[in-house]
Amino acid sequence: MMGDVAPAPDLRGPLVGRAFELDRLAGLLGVQTGDHEDVRSAAVLLAGDAGVGKTRLLAELTDRARDDGWRVMVGHCLDFGESALPYLPFSEAFGRLADEEPTLAATLAAGNPAIARLMPARRLLGEEEHQPSGTPDGEGGLDRPDLFESVHAALERLGRASPLLVVVEDVHWADRSTRDMLSFLLTRRFAAPVGVVTSYRSDDLHRRHPLRSSVAEWSRLAGVHRLDLDPLPDEDVRALVQALQSAPLAEVAVRRIVERADGNAFFTEELVAAAARGDRMLPMELADLLLVRLDQLDDTARKVVRAAAVSGRRVGHDLLARVVGEEPGALDAAVRSAVESHVLVPVGDAYAFRHALLAEAVYDDLLPGERARLHAAYVEALSGHGAAAMAAELARHARAANDLPTAARASMEAGTEAMSVAAPDEAAQHFEHALELVSRPEVAAALRSAGHDVDVIALTSKVVKAATAAGHVQRAIAVAEDQLSALPADAPPLDRARLLHVLATVGILADAGPDVLALTTEAMRLLPDGDPTPLEARLVALHAHAASQRGRTDDGIVWAQRAVSLARQLDLPDVESDAATTLARLQQGEDSAATRQTLETAAAAAREAGAPGAELRGLLNLGLLHLEGGRLTEALDVLGRATGRARELGRTWAPYGLDARVMAAQVAYVLGQWDLASRLAGTRGEGPPEVAEAYLASVGLAVRAGRGEVLALDGLDRLRGSWPAEGLIAIFTAAAGIDLHGHRGDVEAASALHDEAVAAVCEVWGRKTFHAQIRLAALLVGQLATAATRSGRSERAALVRRGEELADVAASVGAAAAESPRGMGPEGVAWVRRVEAERARLRWLAAAGDSDEEQLLALWNSTVAAFEDFGHVFEVARSQARAAAVLRAQGRQSEAAPLVAAATETARRLGAAPLLSELRLLGGVGARAATDGARSGDESLTGRELEVLTLVAQGRSNRQIGEHLFISAKTVSVHVSNILAKLGAAGRTEAVAVARRRGLLTDS
């Protein structure tokens, strides 16, 4: 018998989100107070829905209690219905005591003979069959009061020896005798430190449940506390999902699990397991568990619950009444039954399922015919009787009921409603549903006969605008292209021009998209002769923007000016704002102050005109203008404004809004505000589209690389998948990845990543080169230089060849950029100087030819100054460290010290572990203190000898020391001999030991 209730193996997962409840529970009982003398008897009634985590919490409590020196006795009630064995949890608890401590159990039984009758061995069916009938609980001649007193006395005796914790789980399944026993124990209390915890499912306690009155009675007793375990907050569910998954889940999958789990830990575990299997349906085991509640209802109540499930999670009373069609009295009785059984809960004038998954399970259990009929009933109910229903609800029911004309009309209305409340993702889905339906001839015919002639091109435009606003640019392009390809050959030219405009509108926003210049050229050719129209003005503005993107500055200016003129003539402020932004960017070389003012005015005008795309474009370009001019604080401010405005407009993931957030994160990184950069790049709980998530993750890699989080390399493959959609993702990924691979010592992987990213960007942007190549080259040449210090001669030669190739390409790109209308800007100048400094450093470290250390130092000083002028905090520090290395190699420690100190302070503040490691070898961090101590303690060792001795203590060979200090192995040998002589040591090991005793070296 006891084998049926033995505890399962401890396969517990992490305890997430229950720290407060655990501390509260332990505090009420006196567990882990540190002083058992203060422990008093107490009892806790632990309530919570099935699966919410009661058992897991109690397991943690019992572990704490045992660690604190408590004895723990645990018993479970089981769902045996009317055949439950009386006092089963107490039999389990005393039975386990008999197994683990037989002598103690025998002593208890001797002092309290009635206890023996609870032992499993005395409760065999064969023995019970021979007990006299008519006695209470079938316990022979045993008197119930005697049994209760014996159990109480036994527990109190155990409590006197050490604090005792008695746990009775699942009391909602308890038989009457067990409930009476608990009533006795909770009423009598204990003189010894005995804590009693009972757990039960609160969602099982319907009005007629026998435990309900017991709980009410127990809750009024002195010393009895009630603790309700609420569902986990969404953040804790998210943490649990992350703890349970063996491989990372996509954000959209995590968000769906959080929404469906409703804060229930068990549901979360089951949904995570299903997601790992790639199963979006409700797991069968979980569905069966949930549907048990439905089986307990009568026919009418089941009918009501099924109708409610078709509505979704929540349904109003009046709507439910119209759909079900029952008499008011019968409906009220059925709903009350569902409420008392904890299937439904009243919410104002509506009803909701207690758990979202319960609604799913009931809906999935319906037969196809049942579903269709119920959805049709909802369509009828929502379409008549003056129902104040949202169009989205009507559209959903109409689609499921195969009432396609109604579904099409309602979907269009739902899309309009969603856009009006800044919900573009939902709007795009509704509009796309409508577009798919009206594309069917029979649906279009039915709509026309009902007086609803749909303009398919206008509807396509709505789909594209909503999808774009939601951040699904490629999806929007696909929709527009599909409609364009489906356009009949004999369609009016104006229809084709309109569709070309729709496609160009979204194509201009994509790195990997159609040729917008060709689209606008064709569309303008198709326009009819006559007076200018709004469509012409919009096409001209797009044409100017496309020309600007293709580098056709003069053409772009002409078209932008024409667009501004047309927009003013036709009173189209949104077009004027957009064209003015294009014109300002094209003319920015003439007067930056005037350009900034133009962009500010354009953004304000777009906001006034209600043109969110133009407004955000203006703000983004203003922020980029500040960035290009090296005004980083102003750039961060404007880009932050644009990011906040995009959020207000419901366009967080739309082009321009997303771009502003990405660039704000980049500017924050450059300014040394790494925590802010990480927050801006993080998307936890937001559920962005895949490309948007990758875009932000790629810019966030910079901080992770700077801090040496090599594990970030695991995410590179996932980001590669988004390179074809957005070139900047490849650039950001490569910039961070080069350093991450370099930190790991894998320069070949860093080089391969560089080449792959450059090829990808050139393909996406349709160019042979791009400005960011300079930065990527500088970073890689720097890693090649570092690798040279640990490479052999032949390897160093190969590294130098590779570095020269990269530096030559970067110089060529830089020269071309300098001659462009916009010029280089402070950032470009800094990275050009950095490439040359790293090239010279690589030659120097690889001993490739003559090295002019003064020229090398000048290059690094120039690089430091350039990054200071731009304001790149981390690259200033990294450049300072490398300038200091040259100074120290020349023996100019006093000049190097301020650079090392400044770089060290920056690296510490940023948490830049790789840079701190580089600085340690220059006398930064702990090593500098050691060097200072050496100088004050023993002037007999020179600075160079101290450097050599430090490296000897690290176990390096003469060759390795020489490569690190850029001197020959023979010179190192001479230094080592001098050190041994000065310290009076017979060998290297003894020299290190002597130096440590004298304080010349520390373990830091």
Side-chain angles (χ1 to χ4, degrees):
M1 177 65 199
M2 285 300 102
D4 292 337
V5 293
D10 188 0
L11 302 176
R12 288 178 284 171
L15 182 71
V16 175
R18 295 300 187 196
F20 172 80
E21 289 89 344
L22 180 58
D23 290 342
R24 172 70 173 155
L25 189 55
L28 291 172
L29 296 164
V31 174
Q32 288 189 323
T33 60
D35 187 356
H36 292 170
E37 295 296 326
D38 292 336
V39 178
R40 299 290 181 267
S41 81
V44 178
L45 310 177
L46 181 63
D49 288 356
V52 79
K54 300 182 297 298
T55 297
R56 181 67 183 82
L57 181 66
L58 289 174
E60 201 72 23
L61 174 70
T62 56
D63 285 348
R64 276 197 184 186
R66 290 189 180 99
D67 291 343
D68 194 35
W70 287 54
R71 181 187 302 280
V72 177
M73 298 177 71
V74 180
H76 300 79
C77 301
L78 298 182
D79 187 14
F80 286 159
E82 297 301 322
S83 61
L85 191 64
Y87 311 116
L88 179 60
F90 294 97
S91 287
E92 179 189 353
F94 281 106
R96 189 168 291 124
L97 181 67
D99 290 341
E100 296 171 355
E101 300 181 68
T103 302
L104 176 59
T107 301
L108 288 175
N112 304 278
I115 292 294
R117 304 302 298 275
L118 291 178
M119 299 298 182
R122 297 289 301 278
R123 306 197 68 180
L124 298 177
L125 290 175
E127 181 179 339
E128 290 187 3
E129 289 174 355
H130 293 74
Q131 298 300 331
S133 61
T135 56
D137 299 314
E139 291 296 326
L142 184 63
D143 185 64
R144 272 174 44 117
D146 185 28
L147 177 63
F148 289 5
E149 289 286 357
S150 294
V151 169
H152 186 278
L155 296 179
E156 189 161 272
R157 182 171 180 177
L158 290 171
R160 288 196 186 96
S162 63
L164 174 67
L165 176 62
V166 179
V167 177
V168 182
E169 292 199 57
D170 299 324
V171 180
H172 51 279
W173 287 327
D175 60 283
R176 178 174 179 178
S177 297
T178 297
R179 294 196 301 273
D180 290 345
M181 174 73 80
L182 286 170
S183 293
F184 180 82
L185 297 177
L186 296 176
T187 303
R188 281 286 299 272
R189 307 282 300 281
F190 296 91
V194 176
V196 178
V197 180
T198 66
S199 72
Y200 61 91
R201 293 181 182 175
S202 52
D203 52 342
D204 269 8
L205 266 58
H206 54 78
R207 177 160 295 185
R208 294 178 299 278
H209 196 289
L211 183 62
R212 188 162 181 163
S213 60
S214 298
V215 168
E217 177 187 339
W218 298 342
S219 300
R220 291 193 292 267
L221 297 173
V224 177
H225 308 276
R226 180 168 173 170
L227 180 61
D228 292 304
L229 208 56
D230 294 325
L232 291 168
D234 285 354
E235 278 302 301
D236 289 332
V237 175
R238 178 176 289 276
L240 181 58
V241 171
Q242 293 170 341
L244 291 171
Q245 60 192 7
S246 56
L249 292 175
E251 170 61 24
V252 65
V254 175
R255 186 156 51 97
R256 179 166 169 76
I257 290 173
V258 172
E259 290 171 352
R260 298 172 76 196
D262 253 1
N264 189 289
F266 173 68
F267 295 173
T268 302
E269 293 171 3
E270 291 295 311
L271 292 172
V272 168
R277 297 192 300 267
D279 187 1
R280 294 192 57 160
M281 296 294 292
L282 199 62
M284 185 177 296
E285 298 83 356
L286 181 53
D288 289 343
L289 175 65
L290 291 165
L291 290 174
V292 167
R293 298 189 182 281
L294 192 65
D295 296 337
Q296 297 170 350
L297 302 175
D298 60 31
D299 289 344
T300 305
R302 279 197 293 270
K303 177 182 176 182
V304 169
V305 170
R306 286 169 177 153
V310 171
S311 178
R313 176 74 186 273
R314 181 172 175 168
V315 60
H317 178 85
D318 291 341
L319 179 59
L320 182 62
R322 288 196 296 272
V323 170
V324 173
E326 292 286 341
E327 291 295 325
L331 176 64
D332 290 344
V335 171
R336 178 171 291 281
S337 176
V339 169
E340 290 178 353
S341 296
H342 297 285
V343 175
L344 300 177
V345 292
V347 182
D349 59 352
Y351 308 107
F353 279 85
R354 188 175 180 90
H355 297 294
L357 289 184
L358 180 53
E360 283 189 44
V362 174
Y363 184 81
D364 291 343
D365 192 53
L366 290 171
L367 297 173
E370 290 179 299
R371 289 183 195 171
R373 285 192 298 274
L374 283 168
H375 280 297
Y378 272 102
V379 171
E380 182 179 359
L382 291 169
S383 300
H385 303 89
M390 290 183 63
E393 190 175 359
L394 177 59
R396 179 174 66 87
H397 289 300
R399 283 196 306 273
N402 205 35
D403 183 353
L404 302 186
T406 299
R409 291 199 311 272
S411 293
M412 286 184 279
E413 293 174 8
T416 302
E417 287 179 3
M419 285 300 286
S420 70
V421 293
D425 216 327
E426 293 78 3
Q429 294 177 29
H430 293 309
F431 284 137
E432 197 164 350
H433 282 311
L435 183 61
E436 187 272 328
L437 290 173
V438 301
S439 297
R440 302 184 187 184
E442 69 277 13
V443 176
L447 288 170
R448 279 195 299 273
S449 65
H452 299 285
D453 198 359
V454 178
D455 183 341
V456 175
I457 297 175
L459 181 55
T460 301
S461 178
K462 290 181 179 181
V463 175
V464 168
K465 288 179 180 178
T468 301
H472 304 294
V473 174
Q474 292 301 323
R475 179 59 187 159
I477 290 174
V479 169
E481 289 178 335
D482 286 347
Q483 290 300 311
L484 189 61
S485 64
L487 194 68
D490 59 351
L494 185 57
D495 284 358
R496 181 169 181 81
R498 291 173 64 201
L499 273 176
L500 287 168
H501 170 252
V502 171
L503 178 56
T505 300
V506 64
I508 198 75
L509 305 173
D511 273 1
D515 184 342
V516 177
L517 205 56
L519 294 175
T520 52
T521 299
E522 180 186 357
M524 288 190 293
R525 180 177 56 80
L526 293 172
L527 293 177
D529 296 332
D531 294 335
T533 64
L535 177 59
E536 180 183 357
R538 297 182 191 283
L539 282 169
V540 170
L542 271 173
H543 195 71
H545 191 173
S548 171
Q549 287 187 337
R550 295 280 282 272
R552 300 182 181 181
T553 303
D554 293 340
D555 287 347
I557 290 174
V558 171
W559 286 105
Q561 289 172 338
R562 181 181 173 190
V564 169
S565 176
L566 286 172
R568 289 174 179 170
Q569 180 181 346
L570 297 170
D571 192 22
L572 300 172
D574 59 323
V575 177
E576 181 181 353
S577 169
D578 194 56
T581 297
T582 300
L583 192 60
R585 290 295 275 165
L586 287 168
Q587 295 178 327
Q588 71 179 64
E590 298 177 8
D591 187 346
S592 289
T595 301
R596 293 197 295 273
Q597 183 57 52
T598 299
L599 290 171
E600 283 276 16
T601 302
R607 180 167 186 167
E608 182 70 23
E615 178 188 354
L616 293 175
R617 183 182 174 218
L619 288 174
L620 171 64
N621 277 277
L622 178 59
L624 293 178
L625 190 62
H626 282 304
L627 173 60
E628 291 162 7
R631 298 178 295 275
L632 300 184
T633 301
E634 293 89 337
L636 185 58
D637 176 65
V638 172
L639 293 169
R641 281 167 49 201
T643 300
R645 183 65 178 144
R647 188 178 297 111
E648 291 174 8
L649 294 166
R651 302 172 71 94
T652 300
W653 314 122
Y656 305 136
L658 173 62
D659 294 331
R661 178 167 167 178
V662 167
M663 295 313 300
Q666 174 67 7
V667 174
Y669 165 76
V670 170
L671 282 169
Q673 299 180 31
W674 283 11
D675 290 340
L676 173 60
S678 294
R679 287 197 300 274
L680 287 167
T683 59
R684 182 174 177 176
E686 294 186 84
E690 184 177 350
V691 172
E693 184 179 7
Y695 200 2
L696 287 164
S698 68
V699 73
L701 275 179
V703 173
R704 303 186 69 184
R707 288 175 172 164
E709 297 178 23
V710 179
L711 290 177
L713 285 168
D714 296 340
L716 292 190
D717 287 340
R718 181 172 58 84
L719 293 177
R720 276 189 180 92
S722 298
W723 288 6
E726 175 56 66
L728 278 177
I729 297 178
I731 292 171
F732 289 139
T733 302
I738 287 168
D739 275 348
L740 286 167
H741 282 304
H743 300 336
R744 199 173 60 172
D746 192 348
V747 72
E748 290 184 5
S751 183
L753 179 62
H754 168 278
D755 293 349
E756 184 182 357
V758 168
V761 175
C762 288
E763 181 176 355
V764 171
W765 287 353
R767 303 177 188 172
K768 294 182 179 179
T769 61
F770 53 94
H771 289 182
Q773 271 184 270
I774 303 171
R775 172 159 56 114
L776 297 181
L779 294 171
L780 182 53
V781 175
Q783 292 298 339
L784 295 176
T786 300
T789 64
R790 55 178 183 268
S791 303
R793 178 169 300 180
S794 62
E795 294 172 312
R796 290 200 297 269
L799 293 172
V800 170
R801 286 194 298 273
R802 175 67 166 140
E804 293 290 345
E805 294 171 0
L806 292 164
D808 286 344
V809 171
S812 174
V813 174
E819 295 175 1
S820 68
R822 294 186 183 181
M824 287 291 293
E827 181 179 17
V829 170
W831 284 110
V832 166
R833 292 183 185 176
R834 174 68 170 274
V835 171
E836 289 306 311
E838 292 289 14
R839 185 210 297 251
R841 175 172 169 255
L842 172 57
R843 290 172 175 169
W844 181 52
L845 295 179
D850 295 333
S851 296
D852 185 338
E853 291 184 347
E854 286 302 321
Q855 182 183 9
L856 177 63
L857 181 60
L859 286 171
W860 278 110
N861 285 337
S862 176
T863 301
V864 170
F867 276 120
E868 286 177 336
D869 183 51
F870 174 49
H872 200 314
V873 173
F874 175 67
E875 293 302 346
V876 166
R878 185 149 57 170
S879 300
Q880 286 172 329
R882 290 173 186 175
V886 180
L887 288 168
R888 287 184 63 83
Q890 295 176 331
R892 297 158 66 180
Q893 285 86 351
S894 60
E895 295 176 61
L899 292 174
V900 173
T904 299
E905 181 181 356
T906 298
R908 280 175 169 161
R909 179 173 63 81
L910 298 177
L915 181 55
L916 285 170
S917 296
E918 184 175 338
L919 288 162
R920 284 191 179 93
L921 298 176
L922 296 174
V925 198
R928 187 176 65 190
T931 303
D932 291 343
R935 289 199 179 115
S936 62
D938 193 330
E939 292 294 341
S940 63
L941 294 184
T942 66
R944 175 63 84 184
E945 288 168 349
L946 284 169
E947 290 176 332
V948 171
L949 180 59
T950 299
L951 296 170
V952 167
Q954 295 175 6
R956 302 196 187 193
S957 66
N958 286 356
R959 181 181 65 81
Q960 292 171 326
I961 294 172
E963 290 172 348
H964 183 80
L965 296 177
F966 324 121
I967 57 180
S968 68
K970 183 175 181 180
T971 302
V972 174
S973 179
V974 172
H975 283 308
V976 170
S977 297
N978 290 337
I979 291 168
L980 297 179
K982 290 179 179 181
L983 296 179
R988 296 161 71 97
T989 302
E990 184 181 352
V992 170
V994 170
R996 282 177 173 152
R997 284 198 303 271
R998 295 185 184 180
L1000 303 181
L1001 292 176
T1002 68
D1003 290 331
S1004 61

